[in-house]
Amino acid sequence: MKKILFIEDEFTLQKTMGEFLEKEGYKVIHALDGEIGLKLAKKEKPDLILLDLILPKLNGFEVLRKLKETEETKDMPIIVLTNLGEIGDIEKGLALGATTYLVKADQDLDEVLLKIKRTLGE
Amino acid sequence: MNFKEVFEELNFFLQAKKYNISLWQYPPFLFIILGTVIILTIFSTYFIGSRYLQPEIVALSVIIITLILLILDYIIVNSFERLLETNIMKSEFINVISHQLRTPISNLKWTLDLALREKDGDRKTEFLKIIKGQNERMLRLVKDMLFASQLERGKWIFKKELVSLEDIIESVLKDFSIFAKSHNIKIKVDIGENLPKIFVDPEKINQVVSNLLSNAIYYSRRKGQVEIRLKRKDRKIRCEVEDKGMGIPREEQKYIFQKFFRGKNILEQKVEGTGLGLFIAKGIVEASGGKIGFQSEEGEGSIFHFELPMK
């Protein structure tokens, strides 16, 4: 069973997205802020990381940077899932190493699932 | 452009009113003033020069006139800067509003999707409850943003009455009793003596107290107590709300009353707040003739206080 680490500070979203992905057969690991996310990425070694950019304590871009700089986590594919949708943000996210950049408001759940499956090579 | 439109453009009073600024902030008007002053100075310099042949007097008058022109220039540049600022604030506001609304709207979108696919009735209801919550969140956000905007522009009409702050606090405590209990927080109240009545909009002051109390409870991390103190201070009444919670880091303290400021210590539940609470509280207190402030130490807690003048 593939593991997905979901770094997102909104509890409601963690719940809905979490249940949705688990129904699709993935194991979901929840992280409500960037620091916990980094810790869990090293500990749980997920197959994919879903990362929101607006997070308390450490902001999403910083988390992205750290994930790509750390040896144990640098090869994990990261899908940025956020409502920060300016061109500048998208470019920054991709430049920092995100595999895909998705704006929540523009995506259907099915589209997100498709991108996840594609990134995991399914 | 027809004659009527040209005339309207030249009617500076009308134009300034349209943009909601005073005549002395309206650049075209200031340009006319500047132009008039320049013409006057040209003529005065000529007359002074032709009458008083001493070069010192001419030099002095030129210097005085230059100074006047510089001051006028400064006023004009200033008014342009102010207009620029307002423009930036407006586009930032629109930007932030759209962004703030996008979050609950996208949450709603996905939850609706899941609710529609869900066959189990109970689970469907669960999803609908979440949707209801997001919808209420959006309504609160829009309401707060509209109010904040009106407050900023001085357009809100307060319905002032002679009230006692203790009554307002009592009402707030009634609303918050369940909330406090669910967060495992005790509320202690200390009402002073000889408290004056104040002339304020009770609903709005209720909003201020509720906001401070809700913050105090949220940031208390589920233990301890929150204390509300009310005392007379000369011709003012002072209200303090103290919590022994997380406190506010020193670097963030100067931003605390700003619109949508999110501290790094923000809690998960507070994420669903509007981010406008303290900005609105400050606006209401100041519009009511009072002052608001706080003392806070990270890890130790905070005391938020406001004072209102007695009638």
Side-chain angles (χ1 to χ4, degrees), chain B residues 40-304:
Chain B
L40 283 174
T41 61
I42 292 173
F43 280 109
S44 346
T45 325
Y46 170 71
F47 280 121
I48 293 173
S50 62
R51 262 176 136 224
Y52 302 97
L53 293 175
Q54 295 104 306
E56 293 87 8
I57 297 202
V58 178
L60 190 67
S61 55
V62 170
I63 289 174
I64 292 174
I65 286 160
T66 312
L67 278 171
I68 296 175
L69 288 175
L70 276 171
I71 292 172
L72 262 174
D73 263 336
Y74 176 71
I75 295 175
I76 293 179
V77 168
N78 212 322
S79 79
F80 266 127
E81 238 193 298
R82 212 94 59 79
L83 285 175
L84 246 173
E85 258 176 33
T86 317
N87 202 20
I88 291 178
M89 278 205 300
K90 285 210 188 113
S91 37
E92 262 179 16
F93 202 47
I94 291 175
N95 218 351
V96 174
I97 289 177
S98 320
H99 182 80
Q100 292 277 326
L101 278 176
R102 224 174 3 177
T103 308
I105 287 176
S106 59
N107 286 356
L108 211 97
K109 177 180 166 140
W110 288 353
T111 317
L112 270 170
D113 222 340
L114 290 172
L116 285 169
R117 295 176 206 210
E118 182 61 53
K119 301 204 172 53
D120 178 82
D122 285 336
R123 303 246 314 154
K124 236 195 177 84
T125 310
E126 280 306 308
F127 283 129
L128 286 174
K129 284 196 192 143
I130 294 178
I131 290 168
K132 182 170 179 196
Q134 294 302 307
N135 180 241
E136 274 163 14
R137 173 182 175 182
M138 288 192 283
L139 284 169
R140 274 196 310 268
L141 189 60
V142 170
K143 181 173 177 214
D144 276 357
M145 286 193 295
L146 279 171
F147 180 62
S149 166
Q150 283 165 315
L151 210 57
E152 261 186 322
R153 294 178 291 135
K155 293 265 184 228
W156 182 263
I157 301 171
F158 287 88
K159 300 194 200 91
K160 297 194 178 175
E161 309 168 12
L162 204 61
V163 289
S164 85
L165 194 48
E166 305 120 79
D167 291 338
I168 295 179
I169 292 187
E170 238 186 81
S171 164
V172 172
L173 288 173
K174 235 183 265 169
D175 293 332
F176 271 81
S177 62
I178 299 177
F179 179 67
K181 219 178 270 178
S182 71
H183 279 255
N184 202 22
I185 299 292
K186 269 179 67 192
I187 303 179
K188 175 163 180 268
V189 187
D190 179 10
I191 308 269
E193 285 168 5
N194 204 12
L195 296 173
K197 285 212 185 219
I198 46 177
F199 191 61
V200 291
D201 182 331
E203 191 192 311
K204 290 301 160 204
I205 299 298
N206 183 309
Q207 202 173 337
V208 172
V209 179
S210 299
N211 177 266
L212 297 183
L213 188 55
S214 132
N215 282 349
I217 294 175
Y218 267 129
Y219 289 99
S220 284
R221 292 175 297 190
R222 295 187 171 270
K223 62 179 157 101
Q225 72 171 21
V226 165
E227 200 173 315
I228 302 180
R229 292 186 286 271
L230 211 56
K231 54 184 171 213
R232 184 188 182 121
K233 198 179 162 199
D234 307 321
R235 290 190 65 79
K236 296 192 270 243
I237 189 166
R238 182 181 173 97
C239 176
E240 291 180 356
V241 178
E242 177 168 7
D243 70 81
K244 298 271 185 231
M246 318 178 132
I248 305 164
R250 182 132 295 183
E251 328 76 79
E252 294 182 2
Q253 292 193 4
K254 53 182 176 285
Y255 304 117
I256 219 76
F257 287 109
Q258 267 181 19
K259 274 195 283 241
F260 301 121
F261 173 70
R262 280 167 123 253
K264 64 178 174 67
N265 283 339
I266 198 153
L267 300 167
E268 312 93 59
Q269 309 101 308
K270 255 307 180 175
V271 165
E272 309 231 337
T274 61
L276 285 170
L278 285 175
F279 175 79
I280 285 177
K282 180 165 190 257
I284 293 173
V285 168
E286 289 178 355
S288 307
K291 278 211 194 84
I292 190 169
F294 69 96
Q295 281 150 271
S296 182
E297 181 100 38
E298 188 166 15
E300 303 280 317
S302 317
I303 306 178
F304 272 78

